[in-house]
């Protein structure tokens, strides 16, 4: 943290929060002007889109406060760092370490697709084409495979044998098909999650979709719908309910409101007692258990009806639908791990352990799930506008990818619940 101290310590004192441009300059820092075209754009998006920082590096710079924003106030500049969601304004400047590579000195991973060999670009475009379920002049909707990252980051190699991210496939697709621009991601899926993503082909469409995804409070605007399907290990306390959880205190502060019985309110909560202030729930979603499969100690699989209970010592798996109202990173995975206390099958980084949750199933199921590339979470439903000026939404459904479909088949989940 020595570098952070070098950049911040000398001029972030409580009694001294306004500075001249000369004071901001440091041997180890650089000052970057924010172009007018980025007015209103989030701080993290500015680092990724203008300076071409990978997602992980951009957010690490913001969290550690090694990169931060100053806003012009009269003749001086005022420190206005407000985390990644801060909206850039006219007159802002960004202070960051000089040794961070930006678009002035791009790394190998950040080279433009247009500079790659033509055969590689064509292969990347074909790879995206294989996942497309809908396309018009404004958008592309894809059903992303498990193991495919949404955006290039550190550790990803841009070649035909490496892990090519969706954003680079999109750039290649736009070049190969003679479209203007590189296209834009407007939302992301985790690498291990499969399912529907919408990609914008024009700036107007990207702005429209980004606004709708960001602003849920405007009742005059159409509400984008995103439905997810997951296989959970265990049984949630409620079969249907609303989830509210704090991202900053994800492990300890959450509540689940039951919708099982409309005649009385039931809430399961954690981390509420003894608080001086109301918790800030910035992760919100709803869920509904669709059906439950049981593997008994002898390995016999059965599907329970609403009135049945699982035999003792059985492994229980609940096939569940989630609809999210917010879009935090790993949101459903965090809901499942902490609030519902039923981790997603194969999600080893969020509470799943084979020995604890599925030893019997793992022994009998011959098709192994590669937990390094795949978890049992699928973005199966997406409702979006098809053009920048329209209020009407179109609903898309994305079929399960092979890993999830085969496991659901093995557990005898009724195909009436499939999408």
């Amino acid at each position: 943290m020595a570098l952070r101290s070098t950049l911040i310590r000398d001029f972030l004192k409580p009694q001294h929060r306004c500075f001249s441009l000369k004071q901001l300059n440091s041997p180890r820092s650089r000052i970057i002007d924010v172009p007018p075209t980025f007015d209103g754009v989030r701080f993290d998006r500015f680092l990724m889109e203008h300076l071409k920082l990978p997602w992980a590096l951009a957010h690490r710079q913001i969290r550690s406060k090694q990169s931060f924003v100053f806003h012009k106030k009269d003749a001086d500049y005022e420190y206005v760092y407000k985390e990644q969601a801060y909206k850039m304004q006219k007159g802002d400047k960004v202070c960051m370490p000089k040794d961070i590579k930006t678009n002035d000195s791009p790394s190998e991973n950040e080279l433009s697709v247009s500079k790659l060999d033509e055969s590689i670009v064509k292969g990347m475009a074909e790879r995206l084409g294989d996942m497309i379920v809908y396309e018009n002049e404004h958008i592309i909707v894809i059903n992303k495979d498990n193991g495919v990252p949404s955006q290039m980051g550190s550790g990803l190699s841009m070649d035909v044998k490496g892990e090519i991210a969706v954003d680079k496939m999109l750039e290649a697709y736009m070049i190969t098909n003679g479209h203007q621009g590189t296209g834009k991601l407007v939302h992301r899926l985790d690498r291990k999650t499969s399912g529907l993503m919408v990609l914008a082909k024009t700036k107007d469409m990207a702005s429209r979709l980004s606004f709708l995804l960001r602003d849920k409070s405007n009742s005059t605007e159409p509400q984008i719908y995103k439905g997810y399907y997951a296989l959970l290990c265990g049984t949630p306390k409620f079969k249907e309910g609303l989830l509210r959880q704090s991202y900053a205190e994800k492990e300890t502060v959450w509540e689940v409101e039951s919708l099982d019985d409309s005649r009385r309110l039931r809430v399961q909560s954690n981390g509420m007692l003894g608080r001086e202030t109301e918790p800030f729930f910035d992760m919100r979603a709803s869920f509904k258990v669709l059906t439950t499969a049981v593997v008994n100690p002898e390995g016999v699989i059965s599907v329970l009806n609403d009135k049945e209970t699982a035999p003792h010592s059985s492994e229980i798996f609940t096939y569940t639908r989630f609809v999210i109202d917010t879009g935090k990173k790993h949101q459903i995975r965090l809901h499942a791990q902490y609030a519902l206390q039923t981790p997603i099958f194969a999600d080893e980084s969020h509470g799943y352990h084979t020995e604890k949750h599925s030893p019997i199933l793992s022994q009998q199921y011959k098709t192994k799930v590669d937990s390094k590339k795949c978890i049992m979470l699928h973005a199966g439903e997406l409702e979006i506008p098809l053009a920048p000026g329209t209020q009407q939404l179109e609903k898309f459904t994305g079929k399960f990818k092979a890993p999830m479909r085969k496991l659901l088949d093995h557990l005898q989940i009724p195909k009436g619940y499939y999408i």
Side-chain angles (χ1 to χ4, degrees):
M1 301 302 291
L3 182 58
R4 172 184 168 184
S5 299
T6 301
L7 296 183
I8 299 179
R9 181 185 56 206
D10 294 337
F11 45 83
L12 283 192
K13 300 174 183 178
Q15 71 276 17
H16 191 90
R17 298 183 64 86
C18 290
F19 319 94
S20 67
L21 197 58
K22 184 177 180 180
Q23 287 176 300
L24 290 178
N25 284 309
S26 163
R28 293 192 181 184
S29 66
R30 58 181 300 201
I31 305 299
I32 300 169
D33 292 321
V34 178
T37 53
F38 283 88
D39 187 23
V41 174
R42 285 167 52 117
F43 184 22
D44 56 348
R45 301 296 307 169
F46 171 79
L47 295 181
M48 291 185 288
E49 294 181 7
H50 182 60
L51 303 181
K52 305 300 182 185
L53 297 189
W55 186 95
L57 177 58
H59 284 77
R60 187 164 62 247
Q61 283 288 305
I62 296 172
R63 286 196 306 269
S64 64
K65 299 185 181 180
Q66 293 187 48
S67 294
F68 41 88
V69 179
F70 284 87
H71 182 69
K72 191 171 182 61
K73 184 178 181 180
D74 299 327
D76 292 330
Y77 287 83
E78 181 181 18
Y79 174 70
V80 292
Y81 166 81
K82 292 183 179 178
E83 302 184 346
Q84 64 265 22
Y86 171 75
K87 303 289 183 61
M88 309 303 289
Q89 302 177 31
K90 183 179 179 181
D92 279 355
K93 292 183 181 292
V94 172
C95 183
M96 67 186 306
K98 278 186 177 178
D99 61 352
I100 296 296
K101 291 183 179 181
T102 65
N103 61 339
D104 297 323
S105 53
S107 65
E108 179 182 353
N109 284 343
E110 297 304 316
L111 291 174
S112 171
V113 170
S114 61
K115 297 181 181 180
L116 296 176
D117 184 85
E118 184 177 348
S119 63
I120 295 178
V121 175
K122 183 178 179 181
M124 293 166 65
E126 291 175 350
R127 180 75 176 90
L128 185 76
D130 291 341
M131 296 187 286
I132 291 177
V133 297
Y134 176 82
E135 179 181 6
N136 65 16
E137 65 270 31
H138 304 290
I139 62 170
I140 297 172
V141 179
I142 66 169
N143 190 5
K144 186 182 82 68
D145 294 333
N146 301 100
V148 176
S150 294
Q151 190 169 30
M152 291 298 290
S154 58
L156 302 179
S157 174
M158 193 193 295
D159 57 48
V160 288
K161 295 182 180 180
E163 295 286 2
I164 305 299
V166 171
D167 64 337
K168 296 303 178 184
M169 292 185 201
L170 175 59
E171 187 176 345
Y173 187 86
M174 298 286 284
I175 292 171
T176 302
N177 290 276
H179 300 303
Q180 292 185 347
T182 59
K184 281 186 174 291
L185 295 184
V186 292
H187 72 115
R188 291 159 187 77
L189 292 178
D190 300 336
R191 180 202 295 248
K192 299 180 182 181
T193 302
S194 59
L196 295 174
M197 289 180 63
V198 58
L199 316 173
K201 295 170 74 173
T202 65
K203 288 185 177 180
D204 287 345
M205 195 67 204
S207 298
R208 173 68 169 159
L209 290 171
S210 296
F211 172 77
L212 293 178
L213 286 165
R214 181 175 64 246
D215 186 4
K216 301 283 187 178
S217 60
N218 193 334
S219 59
T220 63
E221 293 286 356
Q223 300 295 305
I224 288 181
Y225 173 90
K226 293 189 287 182
Y228 294 75
Y229 293 80
L231 187 67
L232 307 181
C233 299
T235 306
K237 184 175 181 179
F238 306 135
K239 290 188 176 181
E240 184 177 3
L242 303 177
L243 293 158
R244 292 180 284 269
Q245 193 168 352
S246 165
Y247 189 77
E249 301 175 273
K250 59 182 76 72
E251 300 178 17
T252 57
V253 180
W254 47 262
E255 67 180 20
V256 185
E257 179 182 334
S258 171
L259 297 179
D260 292 351
D261 188 341
S262 60
R263 290 174 296 179
R264 65 188 183 97
L265 177 67
R266 292 186 295 166
V267 177
Q268 179 188 13
S269 62
N270 190 66
M272 306 299 214
L273 297 177
R275 297 183 64 92
E276 295 182 358
T277 59
E278 287 293 319
F280 177 54
F281 292 126
D282 49 355
M283 293 194 294
R284 299 180 300 278
S286 63
F287 73 96
K288 183 177 182 179
V289 174
L290 301 178
T291 190
T292 302
V294 173
V295 183
N296 73 14
E298 288 73 40
V300 177
I301 298 173
S302 59
V303 176
L304 302 182
N305 61 39
D306 292 339
K307 297 182 180 180
E308 288 182 309
T309 57
H312 182 65
S313 301
S314 298
E315 295 174 6
I316 306 173
F317 304 96
T318 49
Y319 175 58
T320 307
R321 180 175 65 232
F322 291 85
V323 177
I324 61 172
D325 186 48
T326 52
K328 290 291 187 179
K329 184 181 179 182
H330 296 177
Q331 178 172 336
I332 295 176
R333 300 165 71 177
L334 294 169
H335 285 325
Q337 180 182 7
Y338 296 115
L340 297 181
Q341 300 175 41
T342 52
I344 295 171
F345 189 96
D347 193 1
E348 295 178 345
S349 61
H350 289 83
Y352 170 82
H353 301 284
T354 302
E355 300 79 8
K356 178 181 178 181
H357 296 105
S358 61
I360 303 172
L361 177 62
S362 298
Q363 285 185 1
Q364 68 169 219
Y365 185 55
K366 303 304 181 183
T367 307
K368 299 298 181 182
V369 176
D370 185 355
S371 60
K372 293 182 179 180
K373 292 185 176 181
C374 177
I375 61 174
M376 295 299 103
L377 177 62
H378 180 76
E381 297 171 322
L382 182 65
E383 199 167 341
I384 53 173
L386 301 184
T390 183
Q391 294 287 101
Q392 184 177 353
L393 302 181
E394 187 77 16
K395 187 173 183 178
F396 297 93
T397 57
K399 293 184 178 180
F400 291 128
K401 298 296 180 176
M404 190 162 182
R405 186 185 67 251
K406 290 179 179 179
L407 183 56
L408 294 180
D409 286 346
H410 181 80
L411 289 172
Q412 302 174 19
I413 301 297
K415 285 189 167 52
Y417 290 117
Y418 284 25
I419 53 172

